[in-house]
Amino acid sequence: ILNLLNDAWSDNWGFVPLTESEIAYAGKKLKPIIFEELVRIAEYDDGAGFTPLAFMITLPDVNELIGDLDGRLFPFGWAKLLWRLRKPRTRRLRVPLMGVAKRHQGTRLASQLAFMMIEYTRRDAVRDYGATHGEFGWILEDNKGMLSIAQLPGAAINHRYRIYSKPL
């Protein structure tokens, strides 16, 4: 995923390539909330092996799992959280990271890969997690392909963040 992420996001404004140690650290910290069936990697078999073309990482909304803890992990909140993380049942899932290899961006293949990953994840999330809502985050305004997917019927933009600059 590291090479695919760095390739897919390389043209995004302000992107700084991630290193193997940064990914290892993030993976270690996120391990309790990453579930194998919610991580998708689309690959192409070119005869010599599989080449990854796209990926999508989906996470359960942890806020739902801790809402009734009132911000307290002690004395027993930590145990409740660990129990709930074994097989979380959340209505909302979030997609913080998704990407398609740069050479395929803007093509029909990229759209098809994105739709397929979203649909297969949606099916599993409804069946296994009881999910009813999904959220895509961090979509740049100039990413027309992803914006068109994210604004399908029933979807809405709920936050918009912008960075402005002015010379002093």
Side-chain angles (χ1 to χ4, degrees):
I1 289 180
L2 172 64
N3 293 333
L4 192 51
L5 173 81
N6 284 336
D7 176 61
W9 286 33
S10 64
D11 289 338
N12 288 354
W13 180 88
F15 176 72
V16 176
L18 297 170
T19 66
E20 287 187 29
S21 61
E22 289 170 326
I23 289 292
Y25 178 80
K28 182 178 178 182
K29 294 297 181 185
L30 293 174
K31 187 176 181 180
I33 61 170
I34 291 181
F35 299 91
E36 188 174 318
E37 62 273 14
L38 296 177
V39 175
R40 302 282 180 194
I41 300 173
E43 297 175 313
Y44 172 71
D45 183 1
D46 60 5
F50 290 97
T51 303
L53 299 179
F55 76 97
M56 183 170 95
I57 297 175
T58 306
L59 304 174
D61 186 353
V62 177
N63 292 318
E64 284 188 46
L65 302 176
I66 63 173
D68 66 331
L69 300 180
D70 297 322
R72 293 188 298 266
L73 289 178
F74 297 103
F76 302 109
W78 63 272
K80 288 181 183 178
L81 178 58
L82 287 177
W83 180 257
R84 292 171 185 170
L85 283 173
R86 291 183 68 228
K87 188 67 173 180
R89 299 285 298 175
T90 61
R91 292 180 328 221
R92 291 186 314 253
L93 295 173
R94 296 179 172 187
V95 179
L97 296 173
M98 183 176 185
V100 176
K102 191 189 316 188
R103 72 176 189 264
H104 296 293
Q105 291 177 1
T107 67
R108 288 184 184 162
L109 177 61
S111 298
Q112 186 64 31
L113 289 171
F115 276 119
M116 288 174 64
M117 288 189 298
I118 292 167
E119 179 57 22
Y120 282 106
T121 301
R122 185 197 65 77
R123 289 178 191 175
D124 290 347
V126 168
R127 183 189 65 232
D128 299 339
Y129 295 86
T132 58
H133 292 78
E135 176 184 310
F136 289 99
W138 307 335
I139 302 173
L140 300 179
E141 283 187 305
D142 62 353
N143 188 342
K144 304 291 187 221
M146 195 59 214
L147 283 174
S148 65
I149 292 171
Q151 294 174 343
L152 291 172
I157 295 173
N158 61 1
H159 291 85
R160 187 178 307 259
Y161 300 97
R162 290 197 172 115
I163 298 174
Y164 297 94
S165 67
K166 180 179 180 179
L168 297 178

